[in-house]
Amino acid sequence: MSSTSTSLGLLSIADLSLLEVNSILALASQLEAEPHGTRIRRLDGRRVALLFYESSTRTRTSFELAAKSLGAMTTLVSDKSSSIEKGESLHDTGLTLRALGAECIILRSNYSGAPDLLQRSTGLPVLNAGDGMHQHPSQALLDLRTLLEHWNLSSDISETTLAGKTIVITGDIRHSRVARSNSMLLPRLGARVLLCGPEALLPEDALTLAPHLEIERDFDTALQHADAVMMLRIQRERLSGLSIDLPTYIAAYQLNARRIAPYPNLLVLHPGPMVRGLEIDSTVADGPQSRIERQVTHGLAIRMALLHRALIHTGSPA
Ligand code: CP
């Protein structure tokens, strides 16, 4: 088993070189394949705190199960049932968790940049589980693993691994940390990324997120080019007065049986939570082209790798 040399949090997908992404993908596969008896000793007795200031199903549960699968102890602190509700700051909450022996903190926050602040406050590795409209790096990694698996591509990635593939990201890109993280990662592997949505949810300045992004406002045109489509929900909690006419939006941007019919090889992804009947209909969400459940499953392996990397980092799998 590896020994500790340095420990690493993950704040943004931009912080990872392709070599590091490679090593996370390799570690995820290794840990996933390991027998339970071996895996459970990896982080035996290590202490992981899950600090969730925003609701989550997939990310929270998969980080928790990932930590437990590696033998770590976990504790969940949520804003609804902790002293955060009484006004305790992120800084003080972090110091409290550190004083209780937490060695790594997984943070979801509605404030962009909060994971960076917490990592600096505590000196502990912080894994960003989604911060405001900023980043969701573990989601981008699990999305990448889903694409590589489906296309039978090696997880030994390079700048050309996704050359020739077009991925369309459709919906509320303005408020989406998932879109941001994926827009930064996928073009680095050679993918063409088309952003699709109305001006209100996809401002032109989205093109500044990363080099080589393109905007196609017409969803049917975008789909003609797509090998995969990533659907995003409208984030009602972040609209701040922005009003969207839902019937118009659904007519233009919903992924439904009619839209998908000409493209039987199109791969469908959604980070969840889905709003069925709005950005996606159930025929597509539950249909044979959907990899939505597979994305969730990949989240477990990716998050095991991130926890292992944060707590026992040697630069390569043991
Ligand atoms: N994809 C995602 O972040 O889902 P949750 O909000 O349920 O964690």
Side-chain angles (χ1 to χ4, degrees):
M1 204 163 291
S2 320
S3 62
T4 305
S5 52
T6 55
S7 59
L8 292 172
L10 180 58
L11 305 178
S12 165
I13 201 71
D15 298 337
L16 295 176
S17 67
L18 285 193
L19 206 62
E20 288 170 306
V21 173
N22 237 329
S23 126
I24 290 165
L25 292 171
L27 184 52
S29 297
Q30 179 180 340
L31 294 172
E32 190 177 55
E34 261 179 13
H36 174 73
T38 308
R39 198 166 57 201
I40 196 82
R41 292 197 299 275
R42 287 270 182 184
L43 297 181
D44 185 25
R46 306 294 295 271
R47 294 182 187 185
V48 173
L50 298 120
L51 180 50
F52 276 69
Y53 286 77
E54 246 190 23
S55 55
S56 165
T57 299
R58 283 146 285 270
T59 313
R60 183 177 71 70
T61 311
S62 57
F63 263 123
E64 185 176 349
L65 289 175
K68 287 179 170 156
S69 299
L70 298 172
M73 292 185 283
T74 63
T75 185
L76 170 67
V77 180
S78 89
D79 58 337
K80 301 292 184 307
S81 56
S82 68
S83 290
I84 297 166
E85 216 175 22
K86 301 174 196 163
E88 186 162 51
S89 69
L90 177 65
H91 174 80
D92 288 335
T93 304
L95 296 188
T96 302
L97 293 173
R98 188 180 69 183
L100 289 168
E103 298 168 85
C104 172
I105 303 177
I106 296 154
L107 175 65
R108 170 163 290 192
S109 169
N110 47 351
Y111 291 106
S112 300
D116 185 33
L117 183 76
L118 185 65
Q119 187 160 272
R120 282 189 279 114
S121 284
T122 61
L124 298 175
V126 171
L127 299 178
N128 182 357
D131 61 328
M133 300 187 281
H134 179 226
Q135 280 286 313
H136 199 343
S138 62
Q139 180 72 44
L141 292 168
L142 73 88
D143 289 340
L144 174 60
R145 195 169 193 250
T146 307
L147 294 171
L148 295 175
E149 176 190 65
H150 179 79
W151 289 325
N152 211 11
L153 295 169
S154 165
S155 58
D156 190 11
I157 54 159
S158 73
E159 289 88 350
T160 56
T161 297
L162 294 178
K165 299 290 188 194
T166 298
I167 294 140
V168 173
I169 306 178
T170 301
D172 186 359
I173 287 152
R174 180 192 282 268
H175 301 107
S176 173
R177 53 200 175 207
V178 175
R180 265 175 193 72
S181 291
N182 272 302
S183 295
M184 287 178 178
L185 179 61
L186 296 170
R188 290 169 65 201
L189 282 79
R192 179 183 183 206
V193 172
L194 284 183
L195 305 176
C196 184
E199 177 87 38
L201 299 177
L202 171 57
E204 286 289 326
D205 67 7
L207 292 175
T208 60
L209 284 173
H212 312 304
L213 297 174
E214 297 168 55
I215 288 179
E216 171 51 68
R217 301 235 175 249
D218 185 82
F219 192 24
D220 292 296
T221 304
L223 286 175
Q224 289 171 19
H225 303 279
D227 296 288
V229 60
M230 206 174 275
M231 299 304 298
L232 301 173
R233 80 185 166 93
I234 296 178
Q235 300 198 22
R236 288 170 194 251
E237 70 276 27
R238 301 190 217 278
L239 284 182
S240 323
L242 202 68
S243 112
I244 305 293
D245 179 63
L246 291 184
T248 307
Y249 181 82
I250 288 167
Y253 294 107
Q254 183 186 74
L255 192 64
N256 51 38
R258 178 191 64 76
R259 277 215 161 90
I260 210 175
Y263 311 110
N265 296 322
L266 179 72
L267 183 63
V268 176
L269 285 85
H270 193 309
M274 287 184 279
V275 185
R276 287 172 186 256
L278 208 166
E279 74 274 7
I280 192 164
D281 79 1
S282 288
T283 358
V284 177
D286 302 327
Q289 290 164 253
S290 168
R291 289 296 171 277
I292 296 169
E293 282 187 35
R294 198 70 197 134
Q295 286 174 271
V296 177
T297 304
H298 283 304
L300 192 58
I302 287 293
R303 287 164 180 143
M304 281 197 289
L306 292 177
L307 283 160
H308 193 281
R309 174 178 178 269
L311 290 164
I312 308 177
H313 176 67
T314 59
S316 60

Short mmCIF file of all heavy atoms in Angstrom, two decimals, residues 29-66:
data_model
loop_
_atom_site.label_atom_id
_atom_site.label_comp_id
_atom_site.label_asym_id
_atom_site.label_seq_id
_atom_site.Cartn_x
_atom_site.Cartn_y
_atom_site.Cartn_z
N SER A 29 -10.01 2.97 -11.97
CA SER A 29 -10.20 1.60 -12.49
C SER A 29 -9.57 0.58 -11.56
O SER A 29 -10.13 -0.50 -11.33
CB SER A 29 -9.56 1.49 -13.88
OG SER A 29 -10.23 2.35 -14.76
N GLN A 30 -8.41 0.92 -11.04
CA GLN A 30 -7.74 -0.01 -10.14
C GLN A 30 -8.57 -0.25 -8.87
O GLN A 30 -8.79 -1.39 -8.46
CB GLN A 30 -6.36 0.54 -9.75
CG GLN A 30 -5.63 -0.39 -8.79
CD GLN A 30 -4.25 0.14 -8.40
OE1 GLN A 30 -3.68 0.97 -9.10
NE2 GLN A 30 -3.73 -0.35 -7.31
N LEU A 31 -9.05 0.84 -8.27
CA LEU A 31 -9.82 0.70 -7.02
C LEU A 31 -11.14 -0.01 -7.26
O LEU A 31 -11.58 -0.83 -6.46
CB LEU A 31 -10.05 2.07 -6.39
CG LEU A 31 -8.78 2.79 -5.90
CD1 LEU A 31 -9.10 4.22 -5.48
CD2 LEU A 31 -8.14 2.03 -4.74
N GLU A 32 -11.76 0.28 -8.39
CA GLU A 32 -13.04 -0.35 -8.72
C GLU A 32 -12.88 -1.86 -8.87
O GLU A 32 -13.76 -2.63 -8.47
CB GLU A 32 -13.55 0.25 -10.04
CG GLU A 32 -14.96 -0.12 -10.40
CD GLU A 32 -15.38 0.60 -11.68
OE1 GLU A 32 -14.68 0.48 -12.71
OE2 GLU A 32 -16.40 1.29 -11.64
N ALA A 33 -11.73 -2.28 -9.41
CA ALA A 33 -11.52 -3.71 -9.68
C ALA A 33 -11.02 -4.47 -8.44
O ALA A 33 -11.04 -5.70 -8.43
CB ALA A 33 -10.51 -3.86 -10.81
N GLU A 34 -10.57 -3.76 -7.46
CA GLU A 34 -9.98 -4.43 -6.29
C GLU A 34 -11.00 -5.22 -5.49
O GLU A 34 -12.14 -4.77 -5.33
CB GLU A 34 -9.34 -3.38 -5.37
CG GLU A 34 -7.87 -3.25 -5.56
CD GLU A 34 -7.23 -2.20 -4.67
OE1 GLU A 34 -7.88 -1.72 -3.72
OE2 GLU A 34 -6.08 -1.86 -4.95
N PRO A 35 -10.60 -6.35 -4.92
CA PRO A 35 -11.51 -7.05 -4.03
C PRO A 35 -11.82 -6.19 -2.80
O PRO A 35 -10.97 -5.40 -2.37
CB PRO A 35 -10.73 -8.31 -3.61
CG PRO A 35 -9.48 -8.32 -4.40
CD PRO A 35 -9.30 -7.00 -5.07
N HIS A 36 -13.02 -6.35 -2.29
CA HIS A 36 -13.46 -5.55 -1.15
C HIS A 36 -12.45 -5.57 0.00
O HIS A 36 -12.14 -4.53 0.59
CB HIS A 36 -14.82 -6.08 -0.68
CG HIS A 36 -15.32 -5.43 0.57
ND1 HIS A 36 -15.80 -4.15 0.60
CD2 HIS A 36 -15.38 -5.90 1.85
CE1 HIS A 36 -16.16 -3.85 1.84
NE2 HIS A 36 -15.91 -4.89 2.61
N GLY A 37 -11.92 -6.75 0.28
CA GLY A 37 -11.00 -6.91 1.42
C GLY A 37 -9.72 -6.09 1.28
O GLY A 37 -9.13 -5.67 2.28
N THR A 38 -9.30 -5.88 0.08
CA THR A 38 -8.09 -5.06 -0.17
C THR A 38 -8.45 -3.58 -0.12
O THR A 38 -7.79 -2.77 0.53
CB THR A 38 -7.50 -5.38 -1.57
OG1 THR A 38 -7.34 -6.79 -1.67
CG2 THR A 38 -6.19 -4.66 -1.81
N ARG A 39 -9.55 -3.25 -0.82
CA ARG A 39 -9.95 -1.85 -0.95
C ARG A 39 -10.28 -1.21 0.40
O ARG A 39 -9.95 -0.07 0.65
CB ARG A 39 -11.17 -1.80 -1.88
CG ARG A 39 -11.44 -0.46 -2.45
CD ARG A 39 -12.42 -0.56 -3.59
NE ARG A 39 -13.67 -1.18 -3.20
CZ ARG A 39 -14.53 -1.74 -4.06
NH1 ARG A 39 -14.25 -1.77 -5.34
NH2 ARG A 39 -15.65 -2.27 -3.64
N ILE A 40 -10.91 -1.99 1.25
CA ILE A 40 -11.38 -1.45 2.53
C ILE A 40 -10.22 -1.03 3.44
O ILE A 40 -10.39 -0.24 4.36
CB ILE A 40 -12.30 -2.49 3.24
CG1 ILE A 40 -13.14 -1.88 4.36
CG2 ILE A 40 -11.51 -3.67 3.77
CD1 ILE A 40 -14.37 -1.20 3.86
N ARG A 41 -9.02 -1.54 3.14
CA ARG A 41 -7.85 -1.17 3.96
C ARG A 41 -7.13 0.08 3.45
O ARG A 41 -6.25 0.61 4.09
CB ARG A 41 -6.86 -2.34 4.02
CG ARG A 41 -7.40 -3.55 4.80
CD ARG A 41 -6.27 -4.49 5.18
NE ARG A 41 -5.58 -5.03 4.01
CZ ARG A 41 -5.98 -6.10 3.32
NH1 ARG A 41 -7.07 -6.75 3.67
NH2 ARG A 41 -5.28 -6.54 2.27
N ARG A 42 -7.53 0.53 2.27
CA ARG A 42 -6.83 1.66 1.64
C ARG A 42 -6.81 2.92 2.52
O ARG A 42 -5.80 3.59 2.65
CB ARG A 42 -7.51 2.00 0.31
CG ARG A 42 -7.24 0.98 -0.77
CD ARG A 42 -6.03 1.39 -1.50
NE ARG A 42 -5.69 0.51 -2.59
CZ ARG A 42 -4.58 0.65 -3.32
NH1 ARG A 42 -3.76 1.64 -3.06
NH2 ARG A 42 -4.31 -0.17 -4.28
N LEU A 43 -7.98 3.26 3.07
CA LEU A 43 -8.06 4.48 3.91
C LEU A 43 -8.55 4.09 5.31
O LEU A 43 -9.30 4.86 5.94
CB LEU A 43 -9.00 5.51 3.28
CG LEU A 43 -8.60 6.08 1.92
CD1 LEU A 43 -9.63 7.12 1.45
CD2 LEU A 43 -7.22 6.71 1.96
N ASP A 44 -8.10 2.94 5.76
CA ASP A 44 -8.60 2.38 7.03
C ASP A 44 -8.53 3.41 8.16
O ASP A 44 -7.45 3.90 8.51
CB ASP A 44 -7.74 1.15 7.38
CG ASP A 44 -8.28 0.44 8.61
OD1 ASP A 44 -9.49 0.58 8.89
OD2 ASP A 44 -7.49 -0.22 9.29
N GLY A 45 -9.68 3.76 8.69
CA GLY A 45 -9.74 4.64 9.85
C GLY A 45 -9.48 6.12 9.57
O GLY A 45 -9.51 6.93 10.49
N ARG A 46 -9.24 6.48 8.32
CA ARG A 46 -9.01 7.90 8.01
C ARG A 46 -10.34 8.66 8.15
O ARG A 46 -11.40 8.09 8.00
CB ARG A 46 -8.43 8.07 6.59
CG ARG A 46 -7.17 7.26 6.31
CD ARG A 46 -5.98 7.69 7.12
NE ARG A 46 -5.51 9.02 6.80
CZ ARG A 46 -4.62 9.32 5.85
NH1 ARG A 46 -4.10 8.36 5.13
NH2 ARG A 46 -4.23 10.56 5.65
N ARG A 47 -10.24 9.96 8.44
CA ARG A 47 -11.46 10.73 8.73
C ARG A 47 -11.77 11.73 7.62
O ARG A 47 -10.95 12.59 7.32
CB ARG A 47 -11.30 11.48 10.05
CG ARG A 47 -11.21 10.53 11.22
CD ARG A 47 -11.11 11.27 12.52
NE ARG A 47 -10.86 10.30 13.60
CZ ARG A 47 -10.81 10.62 14.87
NH1 ARG A 47 -10.99 11.86 15.25
NH2 ARG A 47 -10.58 9.69 15.77
N VAL A 48 -12.95 11.59 7.08
CA VAL A 48 -13.39 12.43 5.96
C VAL A 48 -14.66 13.16 6.38
O VAL A 48 -15.60 12.53 6.86
CB VAL A 48 -13.67 11.56 4.71
CG1 VAL A 48 -14.29 12.39 3.59
CG2 VAL A 48 -12.39 10.88 4.22
N ALA A 49 -14.67 14.48 6.23
CA ALA A 49 -15.87 15.26 6.56
C ALA A 49 -16.56 15.71 5.27
O ALA A 49 -15.90 16.19 4.33
CB ALA A 49 -15.50 16.47 7.39
N LEU A 50 -17.86 15.53 5.24
CA LEU A 50 -18.66 16.00 4.10
C LEU A 50 -19.41 17.24 4.58
O LEU A 50 -20.22 17.16 5.49
CB LEU A 50 -19.66 14.93 3.67
CG LEU A 50 -19.04 13.63 3.17
CD1 LEU A 50 -19.49 12.46 4.03
CD2 LEU A 50 -19.41 13.37 1.73
N LEU A 51 -19.08 18.36 3.98
CA LEU A 51 -19.67 19.63 4.40
C LEU A 51 -20.56 20.14 3.27
O LEU A 51 -20.07 20.57 2.23
CB LEU A 51 -18.52 20.60 4.72
CG LEU A 51 -18.83 22.01 5.17
CD1 LEU A 51 -19.82 22.04 6.32
CD2 LEU A 51 -17.52 22.70 5.61
N PHE A 52 -21.86 20.05 3.47
CA PHE A 52 -22.80 20.36 2.39
C PHE A 52 -23.69 21.53 2.75
O PHE A 52 -24.58 21.41 3.59
CB PHE A 52 -23.60 19.10 2.00
CG PHE A 52 -22.84 18.25 1.02
CD1 PHE A 52 -21.70 17.57 1.41
CD2 PHE A 52 -23.24 18.16 -0.30
CE1 PHE A 52 -20.96 16.82 0.49
CE2 PHE A 52 -22.52 17.40 -1.23
CZ PHE A 52 -21.36 16.74 -0.83
N TYR A 53 -23.43 22.66 2.10
CA TYR A 53 -24.22 23.88 2.30
C TYR A 53 -25.35 23.96 1.27
O TYR A 53 -26.11 24.91 1.28
CB TYR A 53 -23.34 25.12 2.12
CG TYR A 53 -22.39 25.41 3.26
CD1 TYR A 53 -21.22 24.69 3.42
CD2 TYR A 53 -22.67 26.42 4.19
CE1 TYR A 53 -20.34 24.97 4.45
CE2 TYR A 53 -21.79 26.71 5.21
CZ TYR A 53 -20.63 25.98 5.34
OH TYR A 53 -19.76 26.27 6.36
N GLU A 54 -25.36 23.02 0.35
CA GLU A 54 -26.40 22.98 -0.70
C GLU A 54 -26.86 21.55 -0.83
O GLU A 54 -26.07 20.63 -0.60
CB GLU A 54 -25.77 23.36 -2.05
CG GLU A 54 -26.23 24.64 -2.65
CD GLU A 54 -25.72 24.79 -4.08
OE1 GLU A 54 -25.40 23.78 -4.74
OE2 GLU A 54 -25.65 25.93 -4.51
N SER A 55 -28.10 21.35 -1.25
CA SER A 55 -28.61 19.99 -1.35
C SER A 55 -27.90 19.20 -2.46
O SER A 55 -27.38 19.78 -3.42
CB SER A 55 -30.12 20.01 -1.60
OG SER A 55 -30.37 20.79 -2.74
N SER A 56 -27.87 17.90 -2.27
CA SER A 56 -27.20 17.01 -3.23
C SER A 56 -27.67 15.59 -2.95
O SER A 56 -27.85 15.21 -1.80
CB SER A 56 -25.68 17.08 -3.02
OG SER A 56 -25.04 16.01 -3.67
N THR A 57 -27.86 14.83 -4.00
CA THR A 57 -28.12 13.40 -3.84
C THR A 57 -26.92 12.61 -4.34
O THR A 57 -26.26 11.89 -3.59
CB THR A 57 -29.40 12.99 -4.62
OG1 THR A 57 -30.49 13.72 -4.08
CG2 THR A 57 -29.68 11.49 -4.48
N ARG A 58 -26.62 12.76 -5.63
CA ARG A 58 -25.56 11.95 -6.26
C ARG A 58 -24.18 12.21 -5.67
O ARG A 58 -23.47 11.28 -5.29
CB ARG A 58 -25.49 12.25 -7.77
CG ARG A 58 -26.56 11.60 -8.59
CD ARG A 58 -26.95 12.50 -9.76
NE ARG A 58 -27.74 13.59 -9.22
CZ ARG A 58 -29.07 13.53 -9.12
NH1 ARG A 58 -29.72 12.53 -9.61
NH2 ARG A 58 -29.73 14.50 -8.54
N THR A 59 -23.79 13.48 -5.61
CA THR A 59 -22.42 13.80 -5.22
C THR A 59 -22.17 13.43 -3.76
O THR A 59 -21.16 12.81 -3.42
CB THR A 59 -22.15 15.31 -5.44
OG1 THR A 59 -22.63 15.65 -6.74
CG2 THR A 59 -20.68 15.62 -5.35
N ARG A 60 -23.12 13.79 -2.89
CA ARG A 60 -22.93 13.50 -1.46
C ARG A 60 -22.89 11.99 -1.23
O ARG A 60 -22.00 11.47 -0.55
CB ARG A 60 -24.06 14.13 -0.65
CG ARG A 60 -23.89 13.92 0.84
CD ARG A 60 -24.97 14.61 1.64
NE ARG A 60 -26.28 13.99 1.52
CZ ARG A 60 -26.61 12.81 2.04
NH1 ARG A 60 -25.73 12.09 2.69
NH2 ARG A 60 -27.83 12.34 1.90
N THR A 61 -23.87 11.28 -1.77
CA THR A 61 -23.95 9.84 -1.52
C THR A 61 -22.74 9.12 -2.09
O THR A 61 -22.19 8.22 -1.46
CB THR A 61 -25.24 9.27 -2.15
OG1 THR A 61 -26.32 10.10 -1.74
CG2 THR A 61 -25.50 7.86 -1.70
N SER A 62 -22.32 9.52 -3.29
CA SER A 62 -21.20 8.78 -3.90
C SER A 62 -19.88 9.09 -3.20
O SER A 62 -19.05 8.20 -3.03
CB SER A 62 -21.12 9.03 -5.40
OG SER A 62 -20.99 10.38 -5.67
N PHE A 63 -19.68 10.32 -2.75
CA PHE A 63 -18.46 10.60 -1.97
C PHE A 63 -18.49 9.80 -0.66
O PHE A 63 -17.48 9.24 -0.24
CB PHE A 63 -18.33 12.10 -1.66
CG PHE A 63 -17.43 12.85 -2.62
CD1 PHE A 63 -17.90 13.94 -3.33
CD2 PHE A 63 -16.10 12.48 -2.81
CE1 PHE A 63 -17.08 14.63 -4.22
CE2 PHE A 63 -15.26 13.17 -3.69
CZ PHE A 63 -15.76 14.25 -4.38
N GLU A 64 -19.64 9.74 -0.03
CA GLU A 64 -19.74 9.03 1.24
C GLU A 64 -19.49 7.53 1.04
O GLU A 64 -18.72 6.90 1.77
CB GLU A 64 -21.12 9.27 1.86
CG GLU A 64 -21.25 8.65 3.24
CD GLU A 64 -22.59 8.98 3.90
OE1 GLU A 64 -23.32 9.84 3.39
OE2 GLU A 64 -22.89 8.35 4.93
N LEU A 65 -20.14 6.97 0.02
CA LEU A 65 -19.95 5.53 -0.24
C LEU A 65 -18.52 5.25 -0.69
O LEU A 65 -17.94 4.22 -0.34
CB LEU A 65 -20.94 5.05 -1.30
CG LEU A 65 -22.40 4.97 -0.84
CD1 LEU A 65 -23.31 4.60 -2.02
CD2 LEU A 65 -22.58 3.97 0.29
N ALA A 66 -17.94 6.18 -1.44
CA ALA A 66 -16.56 6.01 -1.90
C ALA A 66 -15.62 5.98 -0.69
O ALA A 66 -14.74 5.10 -0.59
CB ALA A 66 -16.17 7.14 -2.84
#
